[in-house]
């Protein structure tokens, strides 16, 4: 029976790969058709597919993430957006026992999770307001320089992700998102349900908004741009009692700041710091420094950070190179050196990115 089981697993992998590729091609055709029509009322499509092989040079894992978003204009000022993601892995067991999770697409098998569903009101050319289901990593910690790195902490510092059930990959939550964008300033503010989910039915559905039982989560950020450099300062407030240890209702603040300073036209230096103020938080501090260098179609990066979760320290360093083959296809080899408490991990990755 063992050979039959292996054959079934092999056929399932082939089938899933074929479905993913067909979805990419279909979405790409739809997007080109929409772009070819000069009418601004046509829906727009975007799709992102990431596949990566991970290895600690003893064992290996294969992860796949497919995300699709559709934007449908309803009028000159209102747009309806909906998007979701699917994830497949050949082994849900983590490759290494690190704290921050070295891969930002590390996940269990997920057939479909709704990540975006709501309405955007473009009040004018400076102000916009969104209402519905959303993830905060659609708006925060998603700048071009920090997004080069695959470490999940570059998409949301552990002072947020470890202390609260924040709406970030692979979870979302009901809420409001306001954005002001003018010249060199961008200000954002978001209010979410205090717990985030990834189901469509039951108590754990993403449309749940229950401040009385789940609490509320507020976050905001100010971005200042000077030439090519970017400077960010943000903070969050959680009010509720549904935390890791079910502490009583309380107000819990967190602050963060990070900068992307260009010292040469193709060299950017990065610095990040975050602090959580509640005495019951699992993670109090995060600090990271790095650099991104652009050489033709290639991007080189190094990022090293330190954090401590439940008195367990971790120092993680990432070396990465992203080769942009076309404007929609890139390959990215990565090496992670991770020191977690008394353990040291060496992780190699090879990622393929498709964005249409």
């Amino acid at each position: 029976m063992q050979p039959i089981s292996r054959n079934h697993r092999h056929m399932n992998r082939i089938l899933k790969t074929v479905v993913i590729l067909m979805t990419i091609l279909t979405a790409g055709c739809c997007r080109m058709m929409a772009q070819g029509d000069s009418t601004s009322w046509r829906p727009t499509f975007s799709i992102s597919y990431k596949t990566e092989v991970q290895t600690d040079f003893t064992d290996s894992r294969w992860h796949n993430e497919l995300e699709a978003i559709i934007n449908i204009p309803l009028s000159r000022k209102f747009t309806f957006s909906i998007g979701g993601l699917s994830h497949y892995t050949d082994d849900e067991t983590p490759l290494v026992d690190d704290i921050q999770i070295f891969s930002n697409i590390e996940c269990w098998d997920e057939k479909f999770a709704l990540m975006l569903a709501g309405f955007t009101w473009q009040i004018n050319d400076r102000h916009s307001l969104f209402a519905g289901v959303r993830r905060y990593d659609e708006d925060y910690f998603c700048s071009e320089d920090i997004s080069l790195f695959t470490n999940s902490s570059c998409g949301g510092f552990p002072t947020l992700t470890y202390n609260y059930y924040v709406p970030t990959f692979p979870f979302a939550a009901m809420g409001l998102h306001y954005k002001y964008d003018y010249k060199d300033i961008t200000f954002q503010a978001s209010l979410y349900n205090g717990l985030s989910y990834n189901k469509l039915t039951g108590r754990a559905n993403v449309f749940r908004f229950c401040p009385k039982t789940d609490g509320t989560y507020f976050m905001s950020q100010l971005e200042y741009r000077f030439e090519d450099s970017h400077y960010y300062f943000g903070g969050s407030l959680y009010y509720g009692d549904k935390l890791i240890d079910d502490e009583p209702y309380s107000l819990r603040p967190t602050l963060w700041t990070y900068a992307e300073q260009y010292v040469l036209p193709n060299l950017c230096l990065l610095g990040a710091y975050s602090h959580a103020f509640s005495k019951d938080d699992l993670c109090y501090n995060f600090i990271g420094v790095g650099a991104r260098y652009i050489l033709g179609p290639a991007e080189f990066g190094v990022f090293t950070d330190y954090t401590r979760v439940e008195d367990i320290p971790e120092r993680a360093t990432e070396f990465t190179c992203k080769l942009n083959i076309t404007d929609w296809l890139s390959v990215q080899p990565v090496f992670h050196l991770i020191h977690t408490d008394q353990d040291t991990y060496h992780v190699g990755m090879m990622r393929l990115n498709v964005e249409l």
Side-chain angles (χ1 to χ4, degrees):
M1 296 299 294
Q2 190 173 2
I4 296 177
S5 177
R6 288 178 178 174
N7 288 336
H8 276 295
R9 289 198 297 268
H10 181 65
M11 290 301 296
N12 285 336
R13 292 178 185 176
I14 294 176
L15 180 59
K16 291 179 179 180
T17 303
V18 170
V19 170
I20 289 171
L21 292 176
M22 290 179 64
T23 305
I24 292 173
L25 292 173
T26 302
C29 292
C30 292
R31 186 180 182 189
M32 287 187 290
M33 290 172 61
Q35 290 177 340
D37 194 326
S38 59
T39 305
S40 61
W41 300 97
R42 299 282 294 183
T44 59
F45 302 83
S46 64
I47 192 163
S48 171
Y49 171 61
K50 297 181 176 67
T51 181
E52 71 182 25
V53 177
Q54 312 167 351
T55 179
D56 62 355
F57 304 99
T58 300
D59 201 358
S60 64
R61 300 286 186 274
W62 182 37
H63 284 268
N64 299 268
E65 178 195 284
L66 178 65
E67 184 170 3
I69 297 174
I70 303 175
N71 298 297
I72 306 173
L74 303 177
S75 69
R76 294 186 182 276
K77 291 185 176 292
F78 287 91
T79 301
F80 175 72
S81 302
I82 186 168
L85 66 82
S86 299
H87 189 275
Y88 168 73
T89 177
D90 62 346
D91 193 336
E92 295 185 351
T93 307
L95 185 65
V96 299
D97 191 21
D98 63 334
I99 290 177
Q100 298 178 70
I101 308 177
F102 61 87
S103 172
N104 54 12
I105 67 167
E106 183 90 13
C107 187
W108 53 87
D109 276 354
E110 188 72 61
K111 293 181 179 179
F112 175 80
L114 187 67
M115 295 288 103
L116 177 67
F119 297 89
T120 300
W121 176 23
Q122 192 65 46
I123 303 171
N124 53 40
D125 58 349
R126 302 181 188 180
H127 305 268
S128 65
L129 180 65
F130 173 89
V133 174
R134 199 174 182 90
R135 291 176 2 203
Y136 81 61
D137 49 346
E138 293 279 343
D139 311 293
Y140 304 87
F141 309 105
C142 55
S143 61
E144 185 177 6
D145 293 293
I146 202 169
S147 295
L148 170 65
F149 302 96
T150 68
N151 185 342
S152 65
S153 289
C154 291
F157 301 149
T159 48
L160 304 177
T161 56
Y162 257 96
N163 294 331
Y164 315 107
Y165 295 102
V166 290
T168 186
F169 171 85
F171 298 98
M174 283 287 292
L176 300 171
H177 175 71
Y178 167 77
K179 184 176 181 180
Y180 170 85
D181 192 2
Y182 182 64
K183 292 185 177 179
D184 298 326
I185 297 292
T186 297
F187 174 76
Q188 301 183 84
S190 307
L191 178 65
Y192 297 104
N193 188 57
L195 299 181
S196 54
Y197 304 99
N198 65 347
K199 304 300 180 184
L200 295 177
T201 59
R203 187 186 181 280
N205 74 85
V206 294
F207 297 103
R208 177 183 172 88
F209 189 77
C210 300
K212 184 176 181 179
T213 57
D214 292 355
T216 55
Y217 188 74
F218 171 81
M219 62 191 306
S220 65
Q221 179 178 272
L222 178 66
E223 174 189 354
Y224 172 69
R225 297 177 292 274
F226 179 72
E227 295 181 345
D228 292 329
S229 300
H230 298 249
Y231 311 93
Y232 305 84
F233 180 78
S236 69
L237 288 172
Y238 173 84
Y239 182 73
D241 66 347
K242 295 296 184 180
L243 293 173
I244 302 300
D245 298 319
D246 287 338
E247 293 293 333
Y249 272 79
S250 60
L251 192 65
R252 301 164 183 264
T254 302
L255 294 177
W256 69 83
T257 182
Y258 66 102
E260 300 169 338
Q261 175 67 53
Y262 273 83
V263 294
L264 293 172
N266 54 353
L267 176 61
C268 178
L269 303 182
L270 300 92
Y273 177 74
S274 180
H275 181 76
F277 292 88
S278 175
K279 62 182 179 63
D280 300 314
D281 285 335
L282 300 179
C283 177
Y284 293 103
N285 293 290
F286 170 85
I287 185 169
V289 293
R292 173 177 177 247
Y293 180 72
I294 304 171
L295 182 62
E299 305 172 51
F300 300 88
V302 58
F303 192 85
T304 184
D305 58 58
Y306 171 82
T307 192
R308 179 183 290 267
V309 177
E310 292 187 293
D311 294 326
I312 299 176
E314 180 170 276
R315 296 172 178 84
T317 301
E318 175 181 345
F319 302 91
T320 188
C321 172
K322 185 178 182 181
L323 179 61
N324 298 293
I325 301 173
T326 68
D327 59 351
W328 56 271
L329 177 65
S330 64
V331 293
Q332 185 172 5
V334 187
F335 178 76
H336 292 271
L337 178 61
I338 306 168
H339 300 279
T340 305
D341 202 7
Q342 303 299 317
D343 299 316
T344 299
Y345 305 111
H346 304 85
V347 178
M349 290 171 41
M350 179 60 75
R351 175 178 292 187
L352 176 70
N353 302 281
V354 178
E355 295 186 2
L356 298 171

